[in-house]
Amino acid sequence: MAREIGDVILKMEGISLSFGGVKALTNISFDVREHEIRSIIGPNGAGKSSMLNVINGVYHPQEGQVTFRGEIRRDMEPHKAAKQGIARTFQNIALFKGMSVIDNIMTGRNLKMKCNVFHHALHWGKARAEEIEHRKKVEEVIDFLEIQNIRKTPVGRLPYGLQKRVELGRALAAEPSMMLLDEPMAGMNVEEKQDMCRFILDVNDQFGTTIVLIEHDMGVVMDISDRVVVLDYGKKIGDGVPDEVKNNPDVIAAYLGTSH
Amino acid sequence: MLYREAGQFKASYEADQQIFPILQDRIGVLLLIGFFALAVPLFADQYWLKAILIPVLIFSLAAIGLNILTGYAGQLSLGSAAFMAVGAFGAYNFMLRIDGMPFLVAILLGGLCAALVGVMFGLPSLRIKGFYLAVATLAAQFFIVWALVKIEWFSNYSSSGVITAQQIEILGFAFEGPQSKYLLTLFVVVVMALAAKNMVRSTTGRSWMAVRDMDVAAEVIGIRLMRTKLTAFAVSSFYCGVAGALYAYTYIGTVEPEGFNLDLSFKILFMIIIGGVGSIMGSFLGAAFIVLLPIALDVFVPMLLGDLVSSSFVSNLQLIVFGGLIVFFLIVEPHGLARLWQIGKEKLRLWPFPH
């Protein structure tokens, strides 16, 4: 592989998050290195999605510290994370249902657009040039994901697997340095999963995008991840390369249960 | 056969991203504008211009305003009429208090006043959604009308806040007859409708729709919720404000704040629901439907029933038929006339084949 795993770019230290009396995350620490594929696994309700929400600023942990690219984070908001190059997809598809595939992916590039509402009202000169320039980039994403034939279809009409792919496209359009993927393969059949795996590996390989992945399909996780962190009931029970995690007795207990 | 886009290949993104990508649409829109700008003023009589065409155009503009806010940005509002009032009274005061104020600048400034007020009343949208927001905008509706009556300065100390629109004059030409007023209204409405179409097909519009469809996802990809919602309120209120100014200057002439009441707000809401939520075209169709239906009933009901029934019965019957038709419409096509139009176009593409 061309990519080389670099230094730590995201460091989570002692993260605790609770909603009222419910503790979603308890004192969790882990790090993510540049260009790696880092998976977060765990049984339902383990706090995986909460973890992603902490990383991109939707949730604010009560305790702990997040360091992204050497900068300690304060008052995080989602759009600030987006500006720092963190993109994400959602567990249950969060596309803009009323819009076409092109428009959905175009919104992914909104941070790179400079024109204001007055330019848009005229749609002449600068605004038009900008629209065309970004359309080119969007078409590159469309080519990459092989969804040329549905580019003008409203996303609400697409089958589930394609919607997931469009959502990946929207995240990709922002040219992020880190992507958070929340169960990109949930509910897919084998072929769709294979396609999605290929796209994730290609993104990682060609663009060097760091990927943080939540996934339930253990075959996939163990195959494509560089390192895996395991959560259960909001606590970290395992962390390491796939082989280590596979043989970790705590992880086996969490997934299969043990006789005491 | 006429409406077939086969063979129209786009070789550049520029060509693919035109405002009307299909040749027949472009020709159709030009013909439509040409018809309403050239043929109609020549042949239509005073009644049609004054009582039908001018109000349809003005309400279309207001409906576009509300559609931007509700249809595209997904923020429910019941204050459209109040924002129209701000535009009307704003334009009136600019005309009144500044010597030699050009008319077009005055209505734009009136619109800007409305935009400012709209942003103020849009602030709650950052915290509340849906029906609760509708109730918050209801406050705007009542407060603004109350303020315009109560603060007499706005109406230049006339009794009960009635204002009479000044003579419209642009570059020395006085707009007196319905013909010239109609053309002026048409010009403003067409320019603003095209601008609205441009907005909704570019980043601004995509951000609005993103916030409407899934606000959490929108925020995560970097769309600022506050800025996007307030822009929607500003642009929407601007459109309503300009519509209000035209309402006073080219349609009614003498208006009072009470004329811009909740009934009118609801009327505009019906227009976008019937016309099509989230469609510029639908705004025109909805406005035409709501303005024309009572007039059509006025003509046809007595024609059918003749002298059998009293006139009071006829006017009551009209209300019933009006309400019934709206309900029927919403059941048959919940996405409004714009959707019917779209289905028609799709059928036309395949005609004479069924599939």
Side-chain angles (χ1 to χ4, degrees):
Chain A
M1 269 195 191
R3 75 198 168 95
E4 244 172 55
I5 291 175
D7 297 330
V8 170
I9 53 167
L10 176 74
K11 205 163 165 190
M12 318 288 285
E13 286 167 298
I15 301 288
S16 294
L17 174 75
S18 55
F19 303 100
V22 182
K23 283 201 158 180
L25 299 168
T26 316
N27 193 22
I28 292 180
S29 306
F30 70 96
D31 57 27
V32 180
R33 291 169 191 274
E34 189 143 33
H35 307 313
E36 80 173 336
I37 298 182
R38 185 78 151 121
S39 289
I40 302 176
I41 61 170
N44 289 330
K48 307 180 293 295
S49 293
S50 299
M51 200 70 225
L52 286 200
N53 282 331
V54 169
I55 295 177
N56 76 341
V58 177
Y59 292 162
H60 305 268
Q62 281 83 7
E63 277 170 54
Q65 180 170 299
V66 182
T67 315
F68 185 67
R69 295 195 182 280
E71 200 183 309
I72 296 171
R73 211 182 245 189
R74 292 195 178 79
D75 316 323
M76 200 55 184
E77 280 169 53
H79 64 86
K80 285 187 194 154
K83 221 169 250 173
Q84 292 177 345
I86 302 179
R88 106 162 250 195
T89 66
F90 290 83
Q91 187 172 358
N92 19 27
I93 299 168
L95 286 169
F96 309 127
K97 293 251 178 332
M99 295 155 78
S100 70
V101 170
I102 287 180
D103 283 344
N104 264 281
I105 300 178
M106 282 287 255
T107 52
R109 294 193 66 79
N110 77 88
L111 280 176
K112 302 192 184 299
M113 299 194 180
K114 299 279 170 284
C115 286
N116 60 32
V117 61
F118 297 106
H119 297 126
H120 293 147
L122 286 174
H123 212 275
W124 200 259
K126 202 173 148 198
R128 192 150 81 158
E130 191 182 68
E131 193 88 345
I132 289 166
E133 177 199 326
H134 287 283
R135 173 71 187 274
K136 271 185 199 142
K137 295 280 184 188
V138 166
E139 289 292 338
E140 281 169 22
V141 173
I142 288 175
D143 277 348
F144 179 81
L145 294 175
E146 298 161 19
I147 46 176
Q148 294 92 336
N149 56 333
I150 53 161
R151 55 158 78 83
K152 289 193 176 167
T153 316
V155 292
R157 280 194 219 163
L158 294 175
Y160 184 78
L162 282 178
Q163 290 196 12
K164 282 265 183 196
R165 213 187 279 185
V166 175
E167 204 187 0
L168 181 69
R170 188 179 65 189
L172 215 49
E175 297 174 40
S177 67
M178 177 183 274
M179 270 213 294
L180 315 176
L181 305 178
D182 199 343
E183 300 197 18
M185 288 159 233
M188 287 187 167
N189 63 28
V190 179
E191 284 98 36
E192 287 173 331
K193 274 186 187 174
Q194 282 171 347
D195 280 346
M196 189 53 93
C197 280
R198 184 163 53 85
F199 290 130
I200 292 171
L201 287 170
D202 280 353
V203 168
N204 182 245
D205 194 36
Q206 287 184 21
F207 311 131
T209 313
T210 310
I211 286 171
V212 179
L213 175 76
I214 293 179
E215 186 46 55
H216 277 301
D217 186 320
M218 285 308 126
V220 169
V221 169
M222 298 303 166
D223 248 14
I224 71 172
S225 310
D226 295 305
R227 290 189 300 155
V228 180
V229 52
V230 192
L231 305 184
D232 191 21
Y233 294 114
K235 298 195 176 72
K236 186 168 103 170
I237 57 171
D239 190 357
V241 296
D243 280 334
E244 261 177 70
V245 168
K246 248 187 270 185
N247 300 320
N248 183 332
D250 287 337
V251 176
I252 295 169
Y255 271 91
L256 300 178
T258 41
S259 52
H260 291 285
Chain B
M1 297 292 234
L2 284 171
Y3 191 77
R4 189 155 296 174
E5 61 195 72
Q8 297 182 28
F9 299 114
K10 305 290 192 297
S12 68
Y13 296 132
E14 199 175 344
D16 197 41
Q17 293 182 171
Q18 296 172 82
I19 186 162
F20 301 109
I22 299 172
L23 179 69
Q24 286 89 333
D25 281 349
R26 282 200 293 282
I27 295 171
V29 168
L30 282 179
L31 282 180
L32 217 64
I33 294 177
F35 174 74
F36 280 103
L38 300 173
V40 166
L42 277 180
F43 299 111
D45 62 9
Q46 302 255 320
Y47 170 77
W48 266 85
L49 289 172
K50 249 200 249 174
I52 298 174
L53 289 164
I54 292 178
V56 165
L57 284 171
I58 291 171
F59 284 128
S60 301
L61 193 61
I64 290 173
L66 183 61
N67 229 333
I68 284 173
L69 186 63
T70 304
Y72 286 96
Q75 312 297 309
L76 211 53
S77 164
L78 288 175
S80 336
F83 299 132
M84 283 176 76
V86 174
F89 280 77
Y92 171 77
N93 277 296
F94 281 113
M95 292 286 278
L96 181 76
R97 287 166 211 283
I98 300 173
D99 255 353
M101 169 60 80
F103 174 72
L104 286 177
V105 177
I107 59 170
L108 287 184
L109 287 173
L112 282 181
C113 292
L116 220 65
V117 175
V119 168
M120 245 162 55
F121 282 99
L123 285 171
S125 71
L126 307 177
R127 283 272 167 214
I128 51 180
K129 290 181 193 172
F131 289 118
Y132 300 92
L133 180 63
V135 173
T137 56
L138 206 57
Q141 173 66 53
F142 289 118
F143 175 77
I144 289 169
V145 171
W146 174 82
L148 288 175
V149 175
K150 202 73 187 169
I151 304 172
E152 289 166 328
W153 183 84
F154 287 126
S155 53
N156 202 24
Y157 305 100
S158 74
S159 59
S160 73
V162 179
I163 57 168
T164 304
Q166 299 92 337
Q167 173 71 47
I168 308 170
E169 207 180 279
I170 297 175
L171 299 173
F173 179 80
F175 288 76
E176 274 166 345
Q179 237 140 14
S180 57
K181 281 183 177 171
Y182 163 76
L183 282 174
L184 179 66
T185 314
L186 182 72
F187 171 75
V188 174
V189 172
V190 167
V191 168
M192 286 181 69
L194 289 175
K197 182 90 186 153
N198 279 337
M199 273 187 267
V200 301
R201 71 196 176 104
S202 50
T203 314
T204 302
R206 283 193 295 265
S207 307
W208 287 340
M209 290 185 271
V211 169
R212 170 195 71 189
D213 285 348
M214 187 76 71
D215 51 358
V216 178
E219 207 179 2
V220 163
I221 60 174
I223 291 170
R224 308 283 295 268
L225 291 187
M226 182 169 89
R227 191 190 293 166
T228 308
K229 285 181 182 174
L230 291 185
T231 312
F233 267 97
V235 174
S236 157
S237 309
F238 177 78
Y239 273 70
C240 287
V242 172
L246 289 175
Y247 185 84
Y249 279 85
T250 66
Y251 178 39
I252 302 254
T254 303
V255 293
E256 51 172 345
E258 293 295 337
F260 298 100
N261 55 11
L262 188 59
D263 275 0
L264 187 61
S265 283
F266 270 119
K267 216 169 163 182
I268 297 168
L269 187 64
F270 289 154
M271 285 173 191
I272 71 164
I273 292 173
I274 288 179
V277 174
S279 158
I280 302 291
M281 177 79 186
S283 310
F284 283 95
L285 296 176
F289 185 85
I290 297 277
V291 173
L292 286 175
L293 186 62
I295 296 174
L297 289 176
D298 239 0
V299 175
F300 289 115
V301 171
M303 206 194 275
L304 288 175
L305 298 175
D307 302 330
L308 289 173
V309 290
S310 68
S311 64
S312 66
F313 179 80
V314 170
S315 60
N316 280 330
L317 188 67
Q318 277 170 14
L319 284 177
I320 295 169
V321 174
F322 187 67
L325 272 176
I326 288 175
V327 172
F328 172 75
F329 239 105
L330 291 181
I331 293 169
V332 173
E333 188 45 74
H335 296 291
L337 294 168
R339 179 84 190 118
L340 281 182
W341 173 254
Q342 218 179 358
I343 293 171
K345 281 209 300 196
E346 268 164 36
K347 285 253 174 10
L348 210 55
R349 278 170 69 186
L350 301 170
W351 187 84
F353 305 107
H355 299 295

